[in-house]
Amino acid sequence: MAAANGGAGSVLPGVTAIALATAFLIVLLRVENQTAIISLLAFGLAAVAVANWFGWLAPVTRSFAERENALDAFAVVAALVVAAVFHEDHFVLLLVCTVLLYIVATLGLNIQFGYAGVLNFAGASFFGIGAYTAAVLNEHTAIPHLLVLLIGGVMAALIGSLLLLPVLRTRGHYAAVVTIAFALLFKTFLEVNDVLGGPQGLQVRSMKILGWSFNDNFQIGGVKLSFYISYFLVSLIILVLAFVLVRRIERSWVGLNLDALRLDETAACCFGLDIVRWKVTAFLLGNFLIGIAGTLFGMVGGFVQPNNYTFADSLILVSILLLGGIGNPWGVVVATVIVVIVPEKLQAIQEYRFLLYAALVMAVLLFRSEGLLPRPVRRYFPGWRP
Amino acid sequence: MTLEPTRRGASSSVLNVQGLTRRFGGVVALDHLDLELAQGEILGLIGPNGSGKTTFFNVLTGLYTADSGSIRFGGTEITQASPQAIYHAGISRTFQRSRLSLPLSIFDNIMIGNHKRLNQKLWFNLVRRDAFRAEFAASFSQAQALVEVFDPPLAGRMFEPIAGLPMIDRRRIEICRALISEPKLLLLDEPSAGMTHEETAKLMDDILVVRQRLTGLTIIIVEHEMGVIERITDRCIVLNFGRKISEGIFAEIAADRQVQEAYLGLQ
Ligand SMILES: Nc1ncnc2c1ncn2[C@@H]1O[C@H](COP(=O)(O)OP(=O)(O)OP(=O)(O)O)[C@@H](O)[C@H]1O
Ligand SMILES: [Mg+2]
């Protein structure tokens, strides 16, 4: 991989962009005063518009394209800085964990919809399946919790395979309707199911790894740390793994196959592509990621209830994908930060947040249909020259 | 669906079609078509609009099922085979209305045609990245060399999206996509549609160049421009209302009164 970065591209624009965005985010998370928040958001929007006007975003894009590995690493550092700044703040850390895990879930959706073109309007249900798996297994079994994460992912994939037949057999909008029906059924099923706690839901025991309980605050070198720091670290690791997975999928024949079948199933058939195999692969892999994210999210939150996994929440996941730029993992990151954090900080719009999402998505579809960060053409190994 | 070898030993003929029929409601798009193709031959398939040429390709490649009749390819029965199995058996095609994936790069589109020669295992693709890289680099050289034949300037733009290319380049890339897997039989459905005379002539020369390299490549070409048909085909078949009305070298079918009538619309 080292040779891949032989290009002359500079990391500087990318580093600057990440640093500024992180600084902005930290200030936004710190500020409580509503007027200040509104001004800050307006300032942020204006700053991006100005940067765009002066053409400062182009070098940033180039920098990300050419010095990818360095900037990926720097982005992880930026996330660590945010956590360090708020090391004692339960509320902010919970919010950050939520962002990280929503990114993982949306990355899963991205494999399904972004690459294979399989619509899934039950993303929140599969997220919920993970969370319920955590609740049940942590309560009744002694399965190590890292393994529970995997099982949660597998459960989401398994239960999701109930949908495979209809999704494969019905095309386009019908497949979408099937997943919507599943999302509605799922919530109703949970509400009437007493074993799973009915409408009240279940407690989820907190995570424990090698005897280390994630429910305790702790100290390092005399600095008090919120217990959420542990969850943050695990979430970040899972996000990095998911990101690498999605990127490798995209930059391989697998990604090419998924694109080919999304764009023209008939032509793909004529060149030997097994449509069923690849749709199933994409759907299961996507659900696996969504399930893992949900499992950890259940443990982070400490309880699960049907109301957290509604059709509306599924729509949020889809809108993140549309907003960020279908098929672009970085787009997913940016869009999730916006969609999760802004309504949380702006209490005035909390009630109207679905309205906000709808307006955002419509604006994006109208004015920038490829999303905030459009997906670039596939480079299997960036910087590779024949 | 797997292909079952038949009892009949290897004949010199690559393709053997008997009584092939396909109806759409009341329309008989293919009417008891018989066709025999020898290895290395270039067959011109001509006929007025709606005479069943594209339908023949669609049935042959498994997109449409035949109502009756049989298709044998290299001694193997493929009448009921899936498009995938037929591609794996060695038949590749282009489409009358270009069917490239516009947002994808030139390289990606050509690799779609290379499916059977690429390692499709998940583990290989996602985990063994060094091995994948080697396969990628080798495939890139092959694709680039092929594009070099048809359109040298394009060979330096392999990672540009198709959407930015003019129709002529798209047609060439579509032929590259069909050729990259080194098929035994190539089906070209009006490859020069929308091209000028000079461009068409150049395209045909390029196709002949590639045929020199791929020994034994057999081609069926649908084409409206008779100059092209005359120059590159060994033999022609003329369809009208799904029925074969004439067969022979170009001079013969051109002299055939039935053919002239069909083209003039006389009945
Ligand atoms: N999918 C389909 N459904 C219904 N009718 C069809 C279908 N495909 C072809 N046909 C009919 O079959 C007949 C043959 O069509 P086909 O496309 O094979 O003609 P063609 O020889 O390729 O004509 P052209 O030169 O215009 O491309 C036409 O009458 C057409 O309307
Ligand atoms: Mg046709």
Side-chain angles (χ1 to χ4, degrees):
Chain A
M1 288 277 162
N5 284 337
S10 166
V11 282
L12 216 60
V15 166
T16 313
I18 294 178
L20 287 176
T22 310
F24 179 81
L25 196 61
I26 289 173
V27 177
L28 181 66
L29 287 169
R30 181 69 86 198
V31 174
E32 294 296 339
N33 179 304
Q34 292 294 300
T35 329
I37 290 173
I38 292 173
S39 324
L40 203 56
L41 289 174
F43 169 76
L45 265 178
V48 173
V50 167
N52 192 24
W53 177 262
F54 284 108
W56 294 340
L57 295 185
V60 174
T61 313
R62 206 173 325 123
S63 171
F64 269 91
E66 287 169 11
R67 301 302 301 275
E68 191 176 83
N69 295 341
L71 290 174
D72 288 352
F74 190 68
V76 171
V77 172
L80 290 170
V81 168
V82 173
V85 169
F86 296 100
H87 61 272
E88 251 187 318
D89 190 329
H90 293 329
F91 173 78
V92 168
L93 287 174
L94 173 59
L95 192 57
V96 172
C97 286
T98 308
V99 169
L100 297 183
L101 294 175
Y102 267 53
I103 295 174
V104 175
T106 313
L107 286 176
L109 209 59
N110 181 50
I111 300 175
Q112 301 174 330
F113 180 54
Y115 299 149
V118 179
L119 268 170
N120 179 358
F121 282 115
S125 310
F126 296 115
F127 199 74
I129 287 170
Y132 272 90
T133 306
V136 172
L137 292 185
N138 289 9
E139 184 70 31
H140 300 290
T141 71
I143 299 174
H145 289 173
L146 284 179
L147 201 55
V148 171
L149 289 183
L150 280 182
I151 298 174
V154 171
M155 282 297 285
L158 273 181
I159 296 178
S161 56
L162 287 178
L163 289 187
L164 278 179
L165 221 56
V167 164
L168 288 175
R169 280 173 66 176
T170 52
R171 286 199 180 188
H173 305 306
Y174 297 103
V177 171
V178 170
T179 63
I180 293 174
F182 179 82
L184 300 176
L185 274 176
F186 177 75
K187 180 165 178 271
T188 314
F189 167 79
L190 291 176
E191 277 170 351
V192 299
N193 190 318
D194 287 335
V195 180
L196 292 176
Q200 273 72 48
L202 295 171
Q203 295 274 342
V204 187
R205 288 217 187 164
S206 60
M207 194 168 212
K208 236 183 212 172
I209 297 178
L210 301 173
W212 170 266
S213 168
F214 277 38
N215 227 11
D216 304 330
N217 299 332
F218 57 104
Q219 293 198 357
I220 291 180
V223 182
K224 276 197 205 140
L225 298 175
S226 156
F227 67 93
Y228 279 120
I229 285 285
S230 314
Y231 282 118
F232 164 80
L233 290 174
V234 177
S235 305
L236 187 61
I237 291 169
I238 286 181
L239 170 55
V240 169
L241 293 177
F243 203 92
V244 171
L245 174 72
V246 169
R247 203 175 240 171
R248 285 187 175 189
I249 287 175
E250 206 241 348
R251 296 173 179 179
S252 68
W253 309 137
V254 177
L256 177 60
N257 290 340
L258 300 183
D259 281 333
L261 78 83
R262 179 186 82 250
L263 293 165
D264 190 340
E265 233 178 90
T266 306
C269 276
C270 287
F271 292 103
L273 202 129
D274 184 341
I275 304 290
V276 171
R277 173 185 169 195
W278 292 109
K279 272 195 184 173
V280 168
T281 304
F283 198 71
L284 295 187
L285 272 175
N287 267 3
F288 179 67
L289 285 191
I290 298 172
I292 288 182
T295 313
L296 186 51
F297 191 72
M299 298 190 209
V300 175
F303 75 97
V304 289
Q305 64 179 90
N307 258 338
N308 298 349
Y309 308 105
T310 61
F311 176 52
D313 296 292
S314 297
L315 282 183
I316 293 180
L317 294 180
V318 175
S319 63
I320 291 174
L321 193 57
L322 292 175
L323 186 64
I326 296 168
N328 185 353
W330 271 114
V332 169
V333 172
V334 171
T336 312
V337 170
I338 295 172
V339 166
V340 175
I341 291 184
V342 170
E344 204 59 55
K345 294 300 292 186
L346 262 187
Q347 277 138 24
I349 63 161
Q350 280 230 327
E351 293 289 311
Y352 304 103
R353 61 188 217 280
F354 286 110
L355 197 67
L356 175 82
Y357 297 145
L360 261 178
V361 169
M362 279 202 282
V364 164
L365 291 182
L366 279 176
F367 300 113
R368 202 179 159 94
S369 60
E370 292 185 294
L372 295 176
L373 300 179
R375 175 182 171 189
V377 169
R378 183 192 340 271
R379 298 303 301 255
Y380 293 78
F381 297 94
W384 182 88
R385 304 271 185 286
Chain B
M1 184 164 294
T2 54
L3 303 172
E4 290 175 18
T6 52
R7 291 277 195 93
R8 288 205 184 172
S11 62
S12 67
S13 88
V14 175
L15 186 71
N16 181 299
V17 174
Q18 273 169 15
L20 199 64
T21 301
R22 168 73 206 205
R23 292 183 201 86
F24 294 105
V27 181
V28 188
L30 275 183
D31 194 353
H32 293 90
L33 178 68
D34 296 330
L35 186 155
E36 184 95 31
L37 203 53
Q39 196 186 35
E41 202 176 9
I42 299 187
L43 177 79
L45 188 60
I46 58 180
N49 288 44
S51 57
K53 306 178 296 288
T54 299
T55 302
F56 173 59
F57 280 4
N58 286 340
V59 174
L60 184 53
T61 52
L63 289 179
Y64 296 159
T65 51
D67 290 320
S68 63
S70 81
I71 306 170
R72 200 165 272 136
F73 178 63
T76 308
E77 175 74 37
I78 58 164
T79 319
Q80 301 296 328
S82 66
Q84 286 87 349
I86 290 168
Y87 161 79
H88 280 281
I91 301 181
S92 272
R93 68 175 292 178
T94 66
F95 295 88
Q96 183 170 0
R97 252 174 283 150
S98 168
R99 293 194 86 133
L100 292 169
S101 297
L102 299 187
L104 303 186
S105 65
I106 295 176
F107 176 69
D108 278 357
N109 272 282
I110 295 177
M111 280 307 107
I112 288 174
N114 210 18
H115 191 80
K116 69 177 171 190
R117 303 206 303 181
L118 301 174
N119 189 334
Q120 303 292 350
K121 297 215 172 64
L122 269 185
W123 187 260
F124 172 84
N125 274 273
L126 304 183
V127 183
R128 299 191 50 219
R129 290 300 279 179
D130 285 335
F132 174 79
R133 192 192 183 98
E135 184 174 274
F136 158 77
S139 311
F140 183 87
S141 309
Q142 284 166 11
Q144 200 174 34
L146 188 58
V147 174
E148 193 88 43
V149 173
F150 286 88
D151 198 339
L154 272 193
R157 300 163 55 190
M158 296 291 281
F159 289 109
E160 286 182 24
I162 292 289
L165 301 183
M167 204 57 201
I168 299 157
D169 287 340
R170 293 187 193 179
R171 293 250 167 226
R172 291 173 178 146
I173 298 303
E174 207 176 347
I175 294 173
C176 291
R177 178 174 71 175
L179 280 172
I180 188 75
S181 64
E182 304 192 351
K184 295 182 195 125
L185 174 60
L186 174 67
L187 310 177
L188 298 170
D189 199 345
E190 296 194 31
S192 71
M195 292 191 183
T196 65
H197 279 290
E198 290 73 32
E199 287 160 350
T200 306
K202 164 83 168 60
L203 181 73
M204 296 305 150
D205 289 340
D206 298 339
I207 291 173
L208 293 178
V209 166
V210 173
R211 196 176 66 128
Q212 292 279 303
R213 298 188 188 175
L214 300 179
T215 40
L217 175 66
T218 310
I219 299 177
I220 306 181
I221 178 169
V222 171
E223 178 59 55
H224 279 303
E225 205 174 311
M226 289 307 144
V228 169
I229 290 287
E230 178 170 20
R231 187 155 69 85
I232 78 164
T233 61
D234 300 314
R235 193 163 54 99
C236 296
I237 283 182
V238 187
L239 296 183
N240 196 21
F241 294 109
R243 223 168 311 135
K244 179 161 79 181
I245 57 168
S246 186
E247 180 169 3
I249 61 167
F250 181 78
E252 289 168 358
I253 58 125
D256 190 326
R257 235 184 74 80
Q258 257 195 303
V259 176
Q260 292 165 356
E261 279 172 0
Y263 268 91
L264 293 173
L266 305 172
Q267 274 305 304

